[in-house]
Amino acid sequence: MQKKGSPYGTHRVISPKGVLPQPADVVDNNMDEIYDNEVLIDVKTLNIDSASFTEIERRAEGDIEKIKEIMLGIVAKAGKHKNPWTGSGGMLIGTVEQIGENYVGDLKVGDKIATLVSLSLTPLRIDEILEVRPEIDQVDIKGKAILFQSGIYAKLPDDMPEGLALSALDVAGAPAQTAKLVKPGMKVMVIGGGGKSGLLCLYEAKKRAGVTGQVICAAGSQKSEDRARKLGLADDYFHMDATDAVGMYNKVMELTDGELCDIVINCVNIENTEMASILCTKDDGLVYFFSMATSFTKAALGAEGVGKDVTMIVGNGYTKGHAAITLQCLREHEGLRNLFAEMYA
């Protein structure tokens, strides 16, 4: 008889008591016995979220052994991979090893899945780090993880390599939210448009805004700009440091004939890009912060400080159908799929 678990995983919280697993400081990552509504996963690869990996790599000064040390330290202390500096996690792929007797769902032992809930709330045990791939934020490990009853997942598709599916599913919330928000004729800018989530957002924005819309790719470097341009994902392209709010504003005023954007989608992994996003949005427009480096305080007080009446959405990594929408992007656009295969698979 297995112990009874909460659907939200609160039975795994060690401290502080009474909170959910994501805000918790420490969760129980003992995998010897699982609760009655949990799924035990034999983990193959961790996909650390971009803001988190960038910060770990910076603190390790690019040294692979130090990256391993930091990651093992995080998990040893917290029982999960919640980056103490960014608060964010990532996701994983692995094989279902055991299913609790009262778990409700369509999973069976042996299924290969990607968890679509953050590593910042997922009980994780790392036995060994096998390989770190810093250029794509992926880490192969030997270890185990727990999926709670409320945890969402995607079964890995048969028509693409695991690494390819993982890299896209890691940012599935962004293109799916873009698909939901963008309407025909809108002017849309994606900041960080040459990155992984940015490219997928550009594709969805262009598809939804249509021929009467305008999609602008604001990349962080010439290389990123060229990457998006080569795939023909936008109408206009430029690269600029997104912390230069006034420079960004002037450029977007020029590109939109002074109208600014209906929607600005922020996909960058660095701090202090809130004001560029806000200034480039027209009054009554919408800013979607998918970036985990976003500061709610800077965004709220910054918008108030420049007298901007804009709706601001926090990038929720989940929206209905997000896994299907994102994998479909790769199926529909051969260039995008080839690029992802080359970079991430």
Side-chain angles (χ1 to χ4, degrees):
M1 189 83 172
Q2 293 173 323
K3 286 184 287 189
K4 192 169 169 49
S6 149
Y8 298 110
T10 49
H11 55 277
R12 287 266 179 185
V13 174
I14 293 174
S15 77
K17 284 291 179 198
V19 303
L20 286 157
Q22 203 285 331
D25 298 324
V26 185
V27 298
D28 170 16
N29 66 348
N30 175 10
M31 309 285 172
D32 298 335
E33 280 181 45
I34 68 166
Y35 287 73
D36 70 338
N37 61 350
E38 292 181 335
V39 176
L40 178 67
I41 301 166
D42 184 27
V43 183
K44 181 182 177 186
T45 304
L46 304 176
N47 202 109
I48 305 301
D49 92 88
S50 182
S52 172
F53 197 90
T54 301
E55 183 60 25
I56 291 170
E57 195 173 20
R58 187 184 73 78
R59 286 173 183 267
E61 295 173 337
D63 183 311
I64 295 291
E65 292 310 311
K66 275 193 186 152
I67 290 172
K68 289 182 184 178
E69 206 177 292
I70 291 171
M71 288 183 64
L72 289 166
I74 290 170
V75 174
K77 191 174 174 186
K80 56 182 183 172
H81 198 285
K82 181 180 179 182
N83 184 312
W85 306 289
T86 64
S88 54
M91 51 166 315
L92 61 85
I93 55 171
T95 306
V96 174
E97 187 175 303
Q98 192 186 343
I99 297 171
E101 57 201 16
N102 292 322
Y103 175 80
V104 180
D106 65 349
L107 284 177
K108 51 189 194 302
V109 171
D111 280 346
K112 287 183 177 177
I113 62 168
T115 59
L116 300 177
V117 285
S118 175
L119 290 176
S120 66
L121 61 83
T122 303
L124 174 69
R125 189 185 84 209
I126 300 179
D127 300 322
E128 190 186 345
I129 293 181
L130 303 172
E131 189 187 349
V132 179
R133 297 190 289 283
E135 63 289 349
I136 56 171
D137 309 337
Q138 286 181 8
V139 181
D140 290 340
I141 69 160
K142 277 186 185 167
K144 309 281 181 202
I146 294 288
L147 183 72
F148 299 127
Q149 177 66 71
S150 59
I152 49 175
Y153 60 86
K155 289 187 184 179
L156 291 171
D158 301 331
D159 62 343
M160 58 183 77
E162 286 174 12
L164 177 63
L166 175 64
S167 64
L169 290 169
D170 175 42
V171 293
Q177 292 274 18
T178 302
K180 201 159 80 173
L181 296 169
V182 177
K183 304 284 181 274
M186 280 186 167
K187 293 186 188 304
V188 184
M189 174 162 75
V190 179
I191 303 180
K196 185 163 65 167
S197 57
L199 291 165
L200 290 164
C201 288
L202 285 174
Y203 174 71
E204 277 300 332
K206 189 86 182 89
K207 187 166 139 186
R208 312 286 167 166
V211 291
T212 56
Q214 180 186 13
V215 175
I216 301 167
C217 167
S221 66
Q222 184 69 57
K223 189 178 170 189
S224 294
E225 181 190 328
D226 292 344
R227 193 183 296 147
R229 191 186 282 275
K230 194 173 160 196
L231 295 173
L233 297 175
D235 299 299
D236 296 285
Y237 308 82
F238 70 94
H239 67 276
M240 190 181 286
D241 178 353
T243 61
D244 178 2
V246 176
M248 290 281 284
Y249 168 77
N250 290 334
K251 184 69 182 170
V252 172
M253 281 289 279
E254 177 198 319
L255 290 172
T256 59
D257 295 328
E259 283 187 40
L260 298 176
C261 296
D262 297 289
I263 299 182
V264 170
I265 297 161
N266 185 325
C267 294
V268 294
N269 59 8
I270 55 166
E271 294 181 342
N272 299 317
T273 62
E274 294 84 0
M275 287 315 298
S277 311
I278 291 162
L279 283 182
C280 293
T281 308
K282 58 173 75 163
D283 268 337
D284 297 323
L286 186 143
V287 185
Y288 174 55
F289 288 109
F290 188 69
S291 164
M292 286 295 145
T294 304
S295 156
F296 167 76
T297 318
K298 286 174 187 170
L301 299 180
E304 178 189 302
V306 293
K308 271 279 187 178
D309 183 2
V310 293
T311 301
M312 294 186 276
I313 299 183
V314 176
N316 174 356
Y318 173 63
T319 187
K320 287 184 187 70
H322 67 328
I325 289 170
T326 301
L327 293 174
Q328 192 57 28
C329 290
L330 297 186
R331 293 187 183 108
E332 286 175 6
H333 195 292
E334 197 187 342
L336 205 48
R337 180 181 169 131
N338 291 344
L339 176 74
F340 268 62
E342 184 189 311
M343 288 174 69
Y344 305 113

